[in-house]
Amino acid sequence: LLGALFALQQAAAFATPRCVSARHRQTPAAAAKTAATAETPVDGERAVVREVAGMALPLLLVSLSSPLLSLIDVAVVGRHVGVLGLASLGPATSVCDLSMYVFNALSVSTTRLAAAALADGDDTGAARNVGDGAAVAVLLGITYGAAVALVPALFLGPFLPQAVDARALPLAVSYTRVRALGFPAALLTVVLQSAALARRDVRTPLKAVWLGALVNGIGDYVLVARCGAGVAGAATATVAAQCVAAGVLLRAEARAA
């Protein structure tokens, strides 16, 4: 549900500024001519709704990238580690995935600022906004990741069931600490995804999601199934996948800028 709301919010965020800015850039004469031949307000609203609806599904898949990686971890750990490892991933993945939604403002702000700048033809301003957002994302990721790594039990507490097996807690702590190393890459990915979407590029974020999932699946198989690294190995594979996804988006952003 959070992912669906997040996707619709992003779709509306980058669809609206372009329409508004285009109207503001018109000269009075052009505006009068456009008003004489333009669609009715209802038709214009329908066009925006169609645009948002067309982007909602891809945006939903992009917004679920972090839970998708956790789902792969759960599947591999449940098969090759056992019930105890599977139980530890419940609270651990909740901390790692739900915490990303706390920083949803990064995505919304980047989308709105970059889309507005691009609609005004200010490519330099859009690149500057994305760069500022990326810097803030990395800084927040380092800060938040350090806090989670230092006191993981504090963040895991709200997600632990009352009748938890004491043996599962160290595994949850191990998984969470390793995943915390990937928070800077995860938040950077959020900002770069928003930048790509502001440029109306859906393919690159989807490519990053699927490449990340592929790397995570292969890493889980090698580290967990073959090497017996347990939940820490699954977390390591997820961090590697997040870095790959961030690299794909960073390369695309560098080319676009």
Side-chain angles (χ1 to χ4, degrees):
L1 179 59
L2 286 175
L5 293 175
F6 176 62
L8 288 173
Q9 187 179 32
Q10 277 193 312
F14 77 81
T16 304
R18 182 179 294 268
C19 301
V20 174
S21 297
R23 288 198 297 267
H24 282 296
R25 289 201 309 272
Q26 290 181 327
T27 63
K33 182 177 179 181
T34 301
T37 60
E39 297 175 323
T40 65
V42 174
D43 292 335
E45 291 177 1
R46 289 175 178 172
V48 173
V49 170
R50 285 195 298 269
E51 183 179 7
V52 172
M55 299 297 298
L57 180 57
L59 286 169
L60 177 60
L61 295 176
V62 169
S63 67
L64 295 177
S65 57
S66 181
L68 176 62
L69 298 180
S70 295
L71 184 62
I72 296 172
D73 287 350
V74 169
V76 175
V77 168
R79 181 176 179 83
H80 296 282
V81 177
V83 176
L84 195 59
L86 189 60
S88 69
L89 290 192
T93 56
S94 296
V95 169
C96 298
D97 293 336
L98 294 180
S99 60
M100 291 297 102
Y101 290 105
V102 174
F103 302 102
N104 184 33
L106 280 174
S107 175
V108 175
S109 300
T110 302
T111 303
R112 288 188 178 275
L113 292 174
L118 290 170
D120 291 334
D122 186 5
D123 293 340
T124 302
R128 182 174 59 252
N129 290 333
V130 174
D132 293 343
V136 172
V138 172
L139 181 60
L140 285 176
I142 292 173
T143 303
Y144 183 68
V148 172
L150 289 174
V151 284
L154 178 64
F155 294 89
L156 288 169
F159 301 99
L160 290 173
Q162 293 182 351
V164 62
D165 192 326
R167 296 173 297 172
L169 183 58
L171 296 178
V173 168
S174 176
Y175 181 89
T176 304
R177 278 180 169 160
V178 176
R179 279 288 299 268
L181 299 176
F183 285 175
L187 291 181
L188 178 61
T189 297
V190 168
V191 169
L192 295 178
Q193 283 174 343
S194 300
L197 295 172
R199 293 187 171 88
R200 313 179 83 79
D201 176 12
V202 182
R203 184 172 299 179
T204 300
L206 288 176
K207 178 182 176 182
V209 170
W210 294 119
L211 280 177
L214 179 62
V215 170
N216 193 30
I218 295 174
D220 278 350
Y221 176 76
V222 172
L223 294 175
V224 180
R226 291 299 182 183
C227 298
V231 295
T236 301
T238 301
V239 172
Q242 290 172 327
C243 292
V244 168
V248 170
L249 291 165
L250 192 60
R251 182 180 181 184
E253 175 62 25
R255 288 180 175 179

